[in-house]
Amino acid sequence: MQRREFLKISALLTGGLAISGTIFEELLAMSDEDLKAKFGVYPTYCEICFWQCAGWTHVNKDGVIQKITGNDKDPHCNGRLCPRGTGGIGSYFDKDRLKTPLIRVNERGQQKFREASWEEAFDLIEKKMKDISVKYGPESIALFHHGSGGKYFTNLVKAFGSDNIAKPSFAQCMGPREVAFANTFGTGLSSPEPLDIRDSKCLVLIGSHLGENMHNAQVQEMSDAIDKGATIITVDPRFSTAASKSKHWLPIKPATDIALLLSWINVIINNEWYDKQFVETNCDGFEQLKQHVQAFTPEWAYGITTIKPEVIVKTAKEMHDASPSVIIHPGRHTTWYGDDTQRLRAVAILNAILGNWGQRGGFYIPEKAEVPHFHLPEFPKPKWTWKDTTGGKYNLVDLGLSNAIVDASIPTKDSDKTKQVKGWFVVGTNLINTLPNTKRTLEAIQHLDLLVAVDTMPMEITGWADVVLPECTYLERFDSLRVSQNREANISLRMPAVKPMYNTKPAWWMARELGLRLGLKAYFPFKTQEEELDWELKEIGSSLKEMKKEGVKIVSKPEHELYIPKGSKFEFNTDSGKIQLYSAAIEAEGFSPLPVYTAHPEPEEGFYRLNYGRAPMHTFSRTANNPNLTDLMDENLLWVNPKIAKIWDLKENQLVKLKNQDGVVSTFAIKVRITERIRHDSVYMVHGFGHADARLTQAFGRGVSDTEMITNVMLDPIMGGTGMRGNFVTFVTDVNA
Amino acid sequence: MRYAMAIDTLKCVGCSDCVVACQTENNVPIGYCRDWVVEVTEGTYPQLALENRSERCCHCENAACVRCCPTGASHKEEGGIVVVTHEKCIGCAACIQSCPYDARYTHPDGYVDKCTFCLHRVNEGLKPACVSVCPTKCMYFGDLDNPESEISKVLKNRKWKLLIPEAGTDPKLYFLV
Ligand code: SF4
Ligand code: SF4
Ligand code: SF4
């Protein structure tokens, strides 16, 4: 409810407010904007995860942040933030925040720093960047980023002359899905994914644990779908929360998902349960697909997946019965076993033949606002990028691969001396806990001439930096507009609710200050971010003033259609204009044009597959110190099946360390949670714990870091993703060993 | 007027948003809570069932805590909402002992605190903070005496259960099953 309405209602109904009549009249006469300022409500969008829900920061009469609530108009959250967004205030109040710039005083890894002024910090970065540029070329500066601050540093690094820029959210997360969908439908799915879950009659979750991963609007819509009686089918070796809400839970043997998907396709094609008209009008390669899947019968899949043939048939029938209002959820974190692009191709194909593209309850056609950016001079053309260091691989990929940049930072006897990465900017991502194989990340760091970390918290990566730049939290700064795709195009504003605490600054300001020092002023034309925002907003007929009041604005064009008429021809962004069931592009790169199942290694006797996932109250490793969120969950637990616990004589809450197949023993210990919800051949933990930086006083040493245990990385040959689920662990019961 | 709350266990995902939203709405200090989430697993792999429940004070008709309070700090507001007047509370904790739901805690400032059904919000025509935030929209709040209220309708149309009904306190926190 709008504050204004609330005042009216309060006046009429309760008269309970301690406000006299005249003051009340005065309040009603005030503009909404003044009113909000008086009651201390400022628009923001959340930075605790990538979903970026829009909300309001409430400041009490003492000028202290009280709470954050959702913006009713926002399609990402519909007025309801998730627990992390609600607990986002903890990121502001966290006593362990980075408070001032830091400069390292001895060798890397010793974690000795001195406090520095912004001048000193920038002086040092400027000098080192120039040295690297002279010695190796500007391309030798790389950027890893996540979150809002990344954009400004992308601008800086590109203006400096490098395109070695990567987001771990690609090669460690969504990459296989995006490449698979791009090579099927001609477009990646992007974020938020255009899934019409609320009207879906059948939602298939395969390795996606909605409800534990709080992709806000999707969780809300899954709940709507449950209310409307939708059938939910969950494929997961673990009895996830979503599995417990499902009509069918398929407790699949880990690492066999492609076999199940192929047999579903087999059943749907051979029973003629696919959407014939849609396939005929909109798909290429159906006959090849049909031939290809003939061998993949439910009986064949049963031997691999342990899912009974009749269950495979029954669930396929459910999908058919619901079609086109059916969704095989494409997931988000999809880097599992190295054949992930192929698995996601199978997901894309299954969706395609059910004819759910552009259909109610399937995939809707998203709309995104077009917000012009101020015209900048062209960026200098780099002489090389990370792609030139991979020996001609990954041609289907146009986004940076973090792991390839790490590789390019480690000189070997064969590596090209003219193409070395020597300086890293790491903005808003804790590479130590984000990239698999921590040891290799640290090795790369030891070869660098410069490592700058920009963060709000003393995350592990900052301990390895030469210069640490403390960013203020999202509640203390402006940021670029959120311009996201959704059912309706919309924009959202983030503005500060309070002044930055300590000696912290917005990333926008940092990137610009460095740009000015490096002679790149032309790329930073605005003096303040407010000017830039106002310029952009005026270009689309709004203004900063309006957005401060509204927070979110829907800017949908009347001609935008959410769905395409059933049976019509749709123009896909592929060579033939049709969906590529058979991918000639993937074939041209030397890979199978249709998805195939490959068996993956199994755990040896006494070892268990390490599975990991999300908890609703944490985002990756970045919230593990947030005081409000650690109050809800302050460590991860190791899920162990009771039978296995019995064999090992493990007790509930007993501390154990883990040892993986490569002999790596976890730094810290983790408590055992004995539960029937996990298969006997795997163990499970929530990702993001086991922090090793003692400056994180809440998170330090609590639980085990799954990342530390992931030393076997199964590289996806198609797009370079780092498959992380091929690791096996055993228990070390003597935790002091 | 009789206020009550219902939680749909078929939709609750146990995310604890209700807990953190209550803390920030009601200045509940970190380390304490007025509501909490319970997870119950039954069966053996792979024949399993799981229930998530968000629990809090049941605002009982026949409230043991109110009866045993020596100072009258624990009392009923309009609509049957059970609240503690912090200024009157001497922190004797008799109510904590008597509550079958363990819904009360001693605030570090010395008084006993608990869920108020967000009376301050309800008086302003708003829903309780936990109900407003819940991402699965699995919580319902309203007046049992009004047959047209959302809660009356949902209790009429769905199966529900109460926690520890044998305690005889006549709780007004319903769980849809
Ligand atoms: S889903 Fe939660 S953490 Fe992510 S942006 Fe929304 S409120 Fe924030
Ligand atoms: S916020 Fe809603 S879904 Fe989450 S635990 Fe509470 S009642 Fe359940
Ligand atoms: S009704 Fe209010 S006080 Fe009670 S648990 Fe919910 S948010 Fe907390």
Side-chain angles (χ1 to χ4, degrees):
Chain A
M1 143 159 38
Q2 295 286 318
R3 186 61 67 172
R4 177 163 295 274
E5 289 166 38
F6 141 58
L7 281 173
K8 280 186 192 144
I9 291 171
S10 309
L12 290 173
L13 293 183
T14 70
L17 280 186
I19 306 175
S20 74
T22 47
I23 296 175
F24 202 79
E25 287 301 309
E26 238 176 80
L27 284 175
L28 280 178
M30 281 165 84
S31 74
D32 273 353
E33 192 175 351
D34 295 341
L35 208 54
K36 278 200 180 117
K38 191 170 179 85
F39 280 89
V41 184
Y42 303 90
T44 187
Y45 58 87
C46 182
E47 182 80 2
I48 306 295
C49 92
F50 44 77
W51 206 262
Q52 300 188 315
C53 301
W56 304 104
T57 315
H58 301 243
V59 174
N60 71 15
K61 58 182 188 320
D62 303 323
V64 180
I65 296 177
Q66 175 79 34
K67 62 178 178 180
I68 314 168
T69 57
N71 186 322
D72 290 341
K73 273 189 299 191
D74 181 34
H76 293 227
C77 76
N78 307 302
R80 294 163 186 265
L81 298 181
C82 89
R84 300 162 299 162
T86 309
I89 58 167
S91 67
Y92 167 77
F93 286 110
D94 196 325
K95 291 195 292 294
D96 299 334
R97 278 175 62 174
L98 291 168
K99 302 184 175 82
T100 193
L102 300 171
I103 292 178
R104 186 165 57 79
V105 292
N106 59 1
E107 67 196 86
R108 287 204 181 99
Q110 301 267 322
Q111 320 274 15
K112 289 274 185 302
F113 293 90
R114 70 176 173 84
E115 297 190 348
S117 67
W118 285 96
E119 280 296 307
E120 283 177 286
F122 288 149
D123 280 349
L124 184 62
I125 298 170
E126 178 192 343
K127 177 174 178 306
K128 293 253 189 147
M129 284 179 81
K130 285 179 175 162
D131 287 352
I132 291 173
S133 182
V134 168
K135 218 164 143 192
Y136 305 97
E139 298 83 357
S140 294
I141 298 287
L143 166 67
F144 301 86
H145 67 99
H146 189 99
S148 304
K151 283 189 221 87
Y152 322 127
F153 280 89
T154 298
N155 189 34
L156 175 73
V157 168
K158 282 194 169 171
F160 191 67
S162 172
D163 208 4
N164 282 319
I165 298 173
K167 293 166 141 179
S169 58
F170 183 75
Q172 280 68 49
C173 198
M174 288 156 60
R177 182 191 89 186
E178 293 302 280
V179 172
F181 273 75
N183 286 286
T184 311
F185 290 92
T187 170
L189 292 175
S190 194
S191 178
E193 296 83 358
L195 306 176
D196 207 12
I197 297 176
R198 68 182 181 202
D199 280 329
S200 183
K201 294 189 185 126
C202 178
L203 174 64
V204 183
L205 302 173
I206 176 156
S208 168
H209 52 333
L210 273 186
E212 283 160 288
N213 60 20
M214 287 300 295
H215 301 163
N216 197 342
Q218 288 191 10
V219 175
Q220 298 187 13
E221 293 197 17
M222 179 169 79
S223 188
D224 294 339
I226 291 173
D227 251 353
K228 293 187 201 163
T231 297
I232 300 186
I233 299 170
T234 297
V235 182
D236 200 319
R238 187 176 61 94
F239 189 61
S240 61
T241 305
S244 77
K245 314 262 177 232
S246 301
K247 179 167 168 196
H248 303 282
W249 170 43
L250 279 53
I252 193 168
K253 179 170 167 188
T256 66
D257 309 78
I258 297 182
L260 174 65
L261 287 160
L262 289 172
S263 79
W264 269 338
I265 297 172
N266 168 303
V267 172
I268 285 170
I269 290 181
N270 288 346
N271 288 294
E272 303 200 354
W273 287 343
Y274 61 98
D275 187 329
K276 284 196 205 92
Q277 197 203 7
F278 181 86
V279 167
E280 225 158 82
T281 324
N282 287 302
C283 298
D284 272 342
F286 181 76
E287 280 312 314
Q288 286 131 311
L289 174 69
K290 185 172 175 179
Q291 282 310 313
H292 176 73
V293 297
Q294 284 314 307
F296 310 132
T297 59
E299 290 70 26
W300 166 83
Y302 174 46
I304 297 170
T305 61
T306 72
I307 304 299
K308 294 208 176 76
E310 61 268 26
V311 175
I312 296 177
V313 175
K314 202 193 301 165
T315 45
K317 178 81 167 39
E318 293 259 22
M319 295 179 214
H320 162 71
D321 289 346
S323 70
S325 300
V326 53
I327 298 169
I328 293 70
H329 197 293
R332 192 150 174 135
H333 174 75
T334 47
T335 46
W336 300 354
Y337 305 110
D339 53 2
D340 305 303
T341 306
Q342 294 289 17
R343 186 182 71 253
L344 271 296
R345 275 266 301 149
V347 169
I349 289 167
L350 184 53
N351 277 299
I353 62 174
L354 288 163
N356 63 5
W357 193 262
Q359 298 302 314
R360 183 181 293 277
F363 288 83
Y364 63 76
I365 308 296
E367 187 191 20
K368 189 169 178 174
E370 284 156 27
V371 180
H373 295 301
F374 192 81
H375 185 74
L376 299 179
E378 232 173 86
F379 291 122
K381 190 153 174 29
K383 290 199 200 67
W384 62 275
T385 71
W386 63 271
K387 243 188 201 180
D388 301 305
T389 66
T390 60
K393 284 190 238 160
Y394 314 133
N395 294 313
L396 299 174
V397 171
D398 48 14
L399 290 170
L401 297 181
S402 312
N403 37 310
I405 295 180
V406 170
D407 291 342
S409 311
I410 303 179
T412 62
K413 62 177 186 349
D414 310 320
S415 58
D416 183 346
K417 295 282 173 298
T418 65
K419 298 187 179 67
Q420 292 184 53
V421 170
K422 282 289 164 188
W424 288 6
F425 278 90
V426 184
V427 179
T429 173
N430 184 15
L431 288 189
I432 309 286
N433 276 13
T434 303
L435 300 182
N437 204 346
T438 313
K439 242 174 90 190
R440 189 159 173 85
T441 310
L442 294 180
E443 185 189 344
I445 288 173
Q446 294 297 16
H447 288 288
L448 298 176
D449 291 350
L450 173 67
L451 171 48
V452 180
V454 179
D455 214 315
T456 60
M457 293 298 299
M459 289 298 178
E460 282 82 349
I461 186 70
T462 66
W464 295 86
D466 303 309
V467 186
V468 180
L469 302 179
E471 196 184 10
C472 53
T473 66
Y474 67 109
L475 303 173
E476 305 162 283
R477 64 183 200 232
F478 283 100
D479 259 312
S480 1
L481 294 173
R482 184 197 78 190
V483 182
S484 59
Q485 63 174 20
N486 219 292
R487 289 186 175 91
E488 292 178 305
N490 63 86
I491 54 170
S492 166
L493 175 73
R494 172 184 291 163
M495 71 175 290
V498 288
K499 289 211 176 66
M501 246 207 269
Y502 313 118
N503 188 18
T504 60
K505 295 280 188 186
W508 189 93
W509 177 85
M510 297 177 205
R512 181 169 192 271
E513 287 296 306
L514 283 167
L516 296 186
R517 283 164 173 266
L518 295 164
L520 305 171
K521 184 159 185 226
Y523 297 94
F524 297 91
F526 292 98
K527 281 206 192 67
T528 66
Q529 194 166 20
E530 285 174 85
E531 279 173 39
E532 182 173 7
L533 289 166
D534 200 40
W535 182 89
E536 286 180 357
L537 285 163
K538 290 204 166 119
E539 287 287 304
I540 57 163
S542 179
S543 66
L544 190 55
K545 186 158 184 268
E546 183 191 36
M547 287 303 288
K548 282 183 177 177
K549 194 169 97 185
E550 300 292 333
V552 171
K553 189 172 178 182
I554 305 294
V555 291
S556 185
K557 296 210 177 80
E559 63 272 21
H560 175 69
E561 298 279 356
L562 207 47
Y563 307 116
I564 52 179
K566 185 109 189 67
S568 63
K569 164 108 184 63
F570 188 77
E571 196 56 32
F572 289 91
N573 187 23
T574 56
D575 285 346
S576 68
K578 288 184 169 188
I579 295 171
Q580 306 291 294
L581 298 177
Y582 180 100
S583 172
I586 290 180
E587 188 173 33
E589 291 297 308
F591 306 105
S592 174
L594 288 160
V596 282
Y597 165 74
T598 35
H600 295 300
E602 301 273 327
E604 276 178 36
E605 180 76 32
F607 279 77
Y608 306 90
R609 189 181 295 274
L610 174 63
N611 280 332
Y612 54 85
R614 310 270 180 247
M617 45 301 255
H618 284 286
T619 304
F620 320 140
S621 67
R622 62 200 288 194
T623 52
N625 206 70
N626 176 314
N628 294 78
L629 301 179
T630 49
D631 196 26
L632 304 175
M633 175 181 180
D634 64 355
E635 62 190 337
N636 57 357
L637 302 175
L638 186 72
W639 295 33
V640 180
N641 182 282
K643 289 196 192 76
I644 304 304
K646 196 153 177 231
I647 295 172
W648 286 82
D649 193 24
L650 298 175
K651 302 275 172 295
E652 184 80 4
N653 284 326
Q654 175 180 344
L655 281 166
V656 293
K657 282 190 176 182
L658 299 177
K659 185 165 93 182
N660 78 359
Q661 72 286 335
D662 296 325
V664 175
V665 178
S666 61
T667 311
F668 302 108
I670 186 168
K671 281 184 196 151
V672 169
R673 174 189 182 186
I674 300 172
T675 173
E676 290 285 354
R677 294 176 60 190
I678 180 92
R679 270 174 73 104
H680 60 277
D681 55 3
S682 7
V683 291
Y684 172 83
M685 67 171 73
V686 170
H687 165 74
F689 288 84
H691 279 274
D693 195 310
R695 294 172 299 170
L696 298 166
T697 58
Q698 290 280 329
F700 177 72
R702 288 190 179 251
V704 159
S705 160
D706 52 328
T707 315
E708 192 185 19
M709 295 288 101
I710 298 172
T711 50
N712 177 34
V713 176
M714 302 165 95
L715 215 57
D716 188 327
I718 302 180
M719 52 61 70
T722 55
M724 305 195 231
R725 299 203 170 160
N727 289 270
F728 309 109
V729 294
T730 190
F731 312 104
V732 179
T733 46
D734 180 3
V735 291
N736 301 316
Chain B
M1 206 152 43
R2 274 186 312 138
Y3 286 119
M5 194 183 278
I7 288 124
D8 189 345
T9 62
L10 300 185
K11 291 197 288 179
C12 174
V13 293
C15 71
S16 300
D17 204 359
C18 44
V19 179
V20 65
C22 176
Q23 287 173 322
T24 61
E25 174 70 30
N26 295 305
N27 286 313
V28 177
I30 285 175
Y32 300 86
C33 57
R34 290 181 176 188
D35 57 345
W36 59 93
V37 177
V38 175
E39 178 195 305
V40 187
T41 311
E42 272 168 15
T44 51
Y45 195 99
Q47 247 67 55
L48 288 162
L50 174 71
E51 182 174 287
N52 290 305
R53 294 197 297 263
S54 169
E55 298 184 1
R56 60 189 52 56
C57 165
C58 299
H59 297 273
C60 310
E61 280 300 333
N62 179 19
C65 53
V66 172
R67 273 188 283 115
C68 76
C69 176
T71 64
S74 278
H75 67 282
K76 284 206 176 189
E77 290 281 336
E78 210 202 322
I81 299 180
V82 177
V83 291
V84 184
T85 308
H86 296 160
E87 295 71 29
K88 275 197 192 169
C89 174
I90 54 170
C92 73
C95 54
I96 297 183
Q97 296 298 324
S98 73
C99 172
Y101 303 100
D102 202 9
R104 299 175 161 236
Y105 70 95
T106 305
H107 190 280
D109 289 347
Y111 53 81
V112 167
D113 189 48
K114 63 177 275 298
C115 165
T116 59
F117 266 174
C118 281
L119 185 60
H120 64 293
R121 289 173 63 92
V122 175
N123 282 342
E124 288 176 1
L126 299 170
K127 297 230 167 97
C130 51
V131 177
S132 303
V133 83
C134 172
T136 67
K137 290 165 273 184
C138 75
M139 308 171 80
Y140 302 87
F141 177 82
D143 179 9
L144 290 178
D145 286 342
N146 175 1
E148 290 309 308
S149 70
E150 209 183 14
I151 189 148
S152 298
K153 285 190 191 151
V154 80
L155 290 176
K156 202 171 139 216
N157 296 329
R158 289 276 304 270
K159 271 203 210 127
W160 48 262
K161 67 176 182 188
L162 298 168
L163 294 180
I164 332 182
E166 62 278 14
T169 59
D170 197 358
K172 295 210 292 296
L173 184 62
Y174 296 81
F175 294 92
L176 307 176
V177 289

